[in-house]
Amino acid sequence: MTDQPPVLELREITKRFGPVVANDRVDFDLRAGEVHALLGENGAGKSTLMSVLYGLYSPTSGEILVDGRPVRIDSPNDAIDLGIGMVHQHFMFIPVMTITENIVLGSEPVRTGVGHTLGVLDRRTARDRVRELSDRYGLAVDPDARIEDVSVGMQQRVEILRALYRNARILVLDEPTAVLTAQEITELMGVIQRLKADGTAIIFISHKLGEVLEVADRVTVLRRGRSMGTVPRAGATEQSLARMVVGRDVIFRVEKEEATPGDPILEVEDLHVVDDRGLEAVRGATLTVRAGEIVALAGVDGNGQTELVEAITGIRAPVSGRVRVDGADITGRGVRRATEAGVAHIAQDRHRVGLVLPFTLAENLGLRRYRRPPLSRLGWLNLRSFAERAAGLISAFDVRGGGAETPAYALSGGNQQKVCIAREIDSEPRLLVAHQPTRGLDVGAIEFVHSRLIEQRDAGRGVLLVSLESEEVRSLADRILVIYEGRIVAEFPPEASEEELGIAMTGGTVVGA
Amino acid sequence: MRSRTRIARAGRGLLIPLVTVVLAFIAGGFVVLFTGHDPFSTYGAIFDGTGLNWLFPWVTGTARTTAAFNLQQTLVAATPLILTGLSVAFAFRVGLFNIGAQGQYTVGGVMAVWIGSIFPNMNPVLHIVLAIAAAALMGAAWAAIAGWLRAVVGTHEVLSTIMLNWIAIWVATYLFQAGGPLQSTTEAGNPVSNTIVPSAHLPVIWGNPLLQGLSIGIFISLAAAVAFWAIMNRSTLGYEIRAVGHSPDAARGAGISVARSYAVTMAICGVFAGLAAATDVLGWEFQISTGDLTISQVGFLGIAVALLGRNTAIGTVAAALLFGALETGTSVRALNSNVFNPELASQLTLIIEGLVVLLVSTDLIAVRILGLPAKLGLGRPRAGTALDRGVPDEAATAAAVTEGLEGKLEQGV
């Protein structure tokens, strides 16, 4: 390699929050034109380290060097001045402004002459600059579209453009693929290659082993705030990285016995459901889940899965059709009735639907049961029961990072999901509806979720798994149903190939289906 | 561990309003300075005007009599403020912005004065209970309209409660104006209600009943604050309300009816505001004139009280006491006019109240000054402040509070 110093070097960065050590003497360096992945479980300290780099937190100790010179970064403005750009997981835009306006916001070009004195925005220059950047790196955006009208993928491209517009030489991508579709991920990978070729140095944060191996030149693994070392991509495998991430061997194949399905638990007949816009999202879905089996509902996102799940769990009333659980008709009877009939629901959006984030774990764990003794009597809560129950579930489900009185937002994603799962499984359901239960989770947590689902199946419960990950679907399911445009279009055994599934999921006809 | 985080959280919750109030007083001190007066002696005179010097054993003789009277007035002023503050705070906790406390207070007052004046020979206990219950129920019914509209049709409660305020005020004006159906039968020419009969007077526990002594209304307020706390923190209803307030989607997902929570919450808010009217009408007012209806700002001040009290029961009581003390301490009657002109002083009260609202609703300034790590806490959702949840937006808060304070300005001079 060259003698040039790395563009960025973090030396022995330590960050404490009270007694918690989020980063413990972490070293990290980055060279021009390189993609360096930062890999680790949720809560391993990746985001903290990047917040230190971006001036959001000041480190307890350690130093940051840019181009070999020590620097102080006290705010994002300092970071931007040093050529550091951040693409956040959650975008920060003004939704009613156009893409161009959002990109130039904070460093707007102004007109010359009188316009300069008045500080009038020079739209043409702004738009031209945006267009030039977007052409050069293949970041296709419509400069005049309003942010609120464009897809998540385009919003992310706007975030990248915004960083480039401010002359970022070091780009931090914080879990960039979490919000993207498969197609958009492919496009993003292309953009990364072009940025690399242009000499931009990229920090790629992820907990997905596959994409790290695909995109990174080097990988640094964080575990519980410590660096587990840096390895080149060459020679690294999913197994070797996974071992570094969780500190032990990870079972990728889910091991399970043959299913012994019993009586039907869930019967959905010719269900029609409309979405928020009044469009028919589920158009006559019919399916059955029996006791002791995992039925996976596979499909491309947006084919009616969400509305179907909401209709089964009572959140959304269907237009027509029937939902029966254990023979009881719960069609359109609401969540409470569904819960009473034995429906449990692991929501796809644990932040918005699964948890009340400011509530303590005790309060969150009580959400399904607070109406009955021992949690309440005659309308009055028994806080001791809440706490006792929470303590039991927290240890049974190995929830880490807090106790009964910790607010849910303080936990990492994987532990939040454990709280949701603990609550739902503890309600001793007849039917467990798991909607994207491993979304955003790291390998260790995914393994945990999978084994719990199989446990539920083996306990004689019906499990309906809705997932966009075909790997997950094929490894967990006893039967696979494919949903396409609101209808169940095909059924496969778990041995079905990815190609067969893929064709059915995109509306192709499958022989014998 | 558990108790330590609790104390830390509570400490932080207490510190910010305290700093806010101190800052507002300092800023008010500069205003006094600019008018050519001495801020220290002015604040000293205001303090004496609140009657809080009654607590000092060395205050004796006539000074003590005056202090006792002033303190009674402070508590009389705080009594309805506690209740309207609770009314606004309760709604904030479910994520609604109840600007309608003024209207709920108005309709409650109409009921209290009506029931309190039409039964001349009733058993006093029965009469008082009946009048209070009528005021509370009327307030609840009035507020429930807004709750129902929000729950069923989706009408934003800020709009509906503002409209309901005006409807309440003008309907009440119609009732009491000359020729109106509830106008006084003995004072034919005056736009006033009948006077409450003695059997409906709340017993006075401190001071002279003829000179606006302190009635048992203060206990009604304090009992309401205890009820607020118990419902919010110890009942399944309060658990549902808090869940809906933090996250309507999560509450819905757990089988809680968001619409029902909105409707029930608003009705309870109306009970608080109706009780506020009952303590005023049955405690010292005894009669309502049409002028009182448009001048009264008790409901609007409840917004400021709830904001300063951070929507908790204890905080609301403390904030209402502060506001009641300020009102009394700067009143023409209580303030020593040799030290500071009372007309100016009542403006000073408005300035301080306005600053308190401004600082509390921004919150950030106090956090900065305390040097708390703003980056840590502010982005995160937090329990306790409805404004953080973005439900009632700040523009609406500002508009409502301005409306209230402007009204006071018109009335003040």
Side-chain angles (χ1 to χ4, degrees), chain A residues 56 352 363 370 379 381, chain B residues 234 236 239-240 242 249 375:
Chain A
L56 293 168
R352 199 170 58 81
E363 287 172 323
Y370 68 93
L381 303 174
Chain B
R234 291 289 183 272
T236 53
Y239 178 80
E240 292 178 353
R242 286 182 291 127
D249 286 321
K375 292 158 191 168

Side-chain angles (χ1 to χ4, degrees), chain A residues 17 55-57 74 315 335-336 352-359 363-364 366-368 370-371 376 379-381 383 386-387 405 407 409, chain B residues 2 5-6 9 230-231 233-237 239-240 242-243 246-247 249-257 260 375-376 380-383:
Chain A
F17 298 104
L56 293 168
Y57 297 144
D74 289 329
I315 294 173
V335 176
R336 211 173 280 199
R352 199 170 58 81
V353 182
L355 294 169
V356 179
L357 287 177
F359 264 19
E363 287 172 323
N364 268 301
L367 274 175
R368 289 264 179 203
Y370 68 93
R371 287 182 207 93
S376 73
W380 295 96
L381 303 174
L383 296 189
F386 265 84
E405 295 297 313
Y409 65 70
Chain B
R2 167 186 154 175
T5 45
R6 276 222 169 147
R9 230 182 290 164
I231 292 171
N233 299 301
R234 291 289 183 272
S235 77
T236 53
L237 176 66
Y239 178 80
E240 292 178 353
R242 286 182 291 127
H246 288 308
S247 170
D249 286 321
R252 204 173 283 125
I256 296 168
S257 165
R260 179 178 164 274
K375 292 158 191 168
L376 278 181
R380 289 266 167 90
R382 246 180 312 152

Side-chain angles (χ1 to χ4, degrees), chain B residues 76 78-81 83 105 112 132 135 202 215-221 272-286:
Chain B
V76 165
T79 299
L81 285 180
L83 286 160
Y105 173 89
I132 290 176
L202 295 179
S215 75
I216 59 164
I218 187 74
F219 295 129
I220 296 176
S221 288
F272 288 130
L275 283 176
T279 62
D280 273 349
V281 169
L282 308 175
W284 61 272
E285 237 181 337
F286 307 136

Side-chain angles (χ1 to χ4, degrees), chain B residues 104-113 115 128-142 270-279 281-282:
Chain B
Q104 296 142 26
Y105 173 89
T106 304
V107 295
V110 170
M111 281 309 272
V113 85
I115 300 287
I128 288 170
V129 169
L130 189 66
I132 290 176
L137 287 177
M138 190 64 208
W142 200 250
V271 167
F272 288 130
L275 283 176
T279 62
V281 169
L282 308 175

Side-chain angles (χ1 to χ4, degrees), chain A residues 1 12 25 58 60 76 84 90 93 102 120 138 163 189 208 238 253 271 305 310 336 367 407 414 421 423 437 459 466:
Chain A
M1 303 291 281
E12 303 234 315
R25 285 162 293 156
S58 50
T60 312
I84 301 169
H90 305 284
F93 291 121
N102 268 287
V120 178
M189 295 303 171
K208 293 185 187 161
E238 288 205 11
R253 270 325 289 185
L271 202 66
Q305 294 98 320
E310 287 178 346
R336 211 173 280 199
L367 274 175
I421 290 171
R423 180 183 69 214
V466 182

